[in-house]
Amino acid sequence: SAVISQKPSRDICQRGTSLTIQCQVDSQVTMMFWYRQQPGQSLTLIATANQGSEATYESGFVIDKFPISRPNLTFSTLTVSNMSPEDSSIYLCSVDEGWNYGYTFGSGTRLTVV
Amino acid sequence: KQEVTQIPAALSVPEGENLVLNCSFTDSAIYNLQWFRQDPGKGLTSLLLIQSSQREQTSGRLNASLDKSSGRSTLYIAASQPGDSATYLCAIYSGYALNFGKGTSLLVTP
């Protein structure tokens, strides 16, 4: 299955600042997915990123707050903008490896906003 | 909208016990179901993937079953070990993206 390198693994940020999270996949994939996991909660899909087009955001998530880039078929970034303590979560990227393998996830970014 | 529920929310067992984690879902029109393991503060590791046409999958000490008609899946862990301590997540794929349960937090004590 694909290997996803996600950086940074964790960060502590000041409110009002922005953080960019990177995911690098060792193979070409059509779609990449970004999830958020708030403390004690399950994973919620933020957006789906296709190469060459704008990301598709789920209800409750907007591009100004979570801009996403997808410059090629192996790389994507998610930026958490103008952060507040409510943004403290684990952020994960994921790829769909198809019928036989299901989804593969990156190692996650643990974000704390103070 | 697909709702995924996992019971129990937390479980503590002594080493060596066999245990069952439960996952239920509201819409039986699924493509597949995937079980993941998550260590604290970390990403997800895929354990087992069951296609909608399958009844079960096995990997080592793990066995997952799927009953679409009743909207249930179980993850059976045989001869549990302290290294199995983690949160176990059930996720349903119904054609767009994964829908997750809240997970079962498992603690295996020596």
Side-chain angles (χ1 to χ4, degrees):
Chain A
S1 62
V3 176
I4 304 175
S5 298
Q6 184 171 344
K7 291 191 288 190
S9 58
R10 59 173 57 209
D11 208 341
I12 301 174
C13 300
Q14 296 292 322
R15 68 175 66 203
T17 63
S18 298
L19 176 72
T20 296
I21 302 167
Q22 301 180 1
C23 275
Q24 178 77 50
V25 189
D26 69 347
S27 57
Q28 293 185 339
V29 293
T30 303
M31 291 198 293
M32 293 182 72
F33 303 86
W34 287 96
Y35 285 84
R36 180 177 74 181
Q37 186 180 31
Q38 294 177 299
Q41 301 298 313
S42 190
L43 280 74
T44 301
L45 181 65
I46 298 172
T48 304
N50 287 328
Q51 191 265 336
S53 62
E54 280 201 6
T56 301
Y57 289 83
E58 297 300 300
S59 176
F61 298 96
V62 296
I63 187 170
D64 290 345
K65 176 67 176 177
F66 297 100
I68 288 171
S69 77
R70 186 79 201 277
N72 56 53
L73 291 173
T74 64
F75 187 79
S76 179
T77 68
L78 169 76
T79 298
V80 186
S81 303
N82 188 26
M83 289 185 285
S84 67
E86 291 71 34
D87 295 318
S88 297
S89 298
I90 299 173
Y91 292 85
L92 301 110
C93 62
S94 175
V95 300
D96 181 1
E97 297 208 71
W99 195 252
N100 288 324
Y101 299 101
Y103 281 70
T104 297
F105 281 78
S107 54
T109 296
R110 188 169 198 167
L111 171 62
T112 302
V113 183
V114 298
Chain B
K1 182 181 183 292
Q2 180 75 266
E3 300 289 336
V4 183
T5 303
Q6 290 188 245
I7 295 172
L11 182 63
S12 180
V13 300
E15 181 177 6
E17 274 204 7
N18 303 324
L19 57 101
V20 174
L21 308 181
N22 297 290
C23 172
S24 62
F25 47 95
T26 54
D27 186 349
S28 61
I30 69 171
Y31 286 94
N32 59 49
L33 182 149
Q34 200 165 355
W35 281 94
F36 294 91
R37 169 186 172 136
Q38 185 177 30
D39 292 293
K42 302 294 186 182
L44 276 62
T45 300
S46 181
L47 298 173
L48 289 165
L49 171 70
I50 310 178
Q51 304 295 349
S52 63
S53 59
Q54 298 174 322
R55 297 282 293 184
E56 66 178 324
Q57 283 285 341
T58 298
S59 176
R61 294 182 294 108
L62 305 179
N63 175 275
S65 68
L66 174 63
D67 183 345
K68 274 201 318 177
S69 61
S70 66
R72 296 182 186 276
S73 176
T74 61
L75 179 66
Y76 175 82
I77 302 177
S80 58
Q81 304 170 356
D84 294 330
S85 298
T87 296
Y88 291 81
L89 294 162
C90 165
I92 303 289
Y93 179 67
S94 301
Y96 177 51
L98 292 178
N99 282 302
F100 283 86
K102 290 188 175 182
T104 293
S105 178
L106 173 65
L107 176 64
V108 182
T109 56

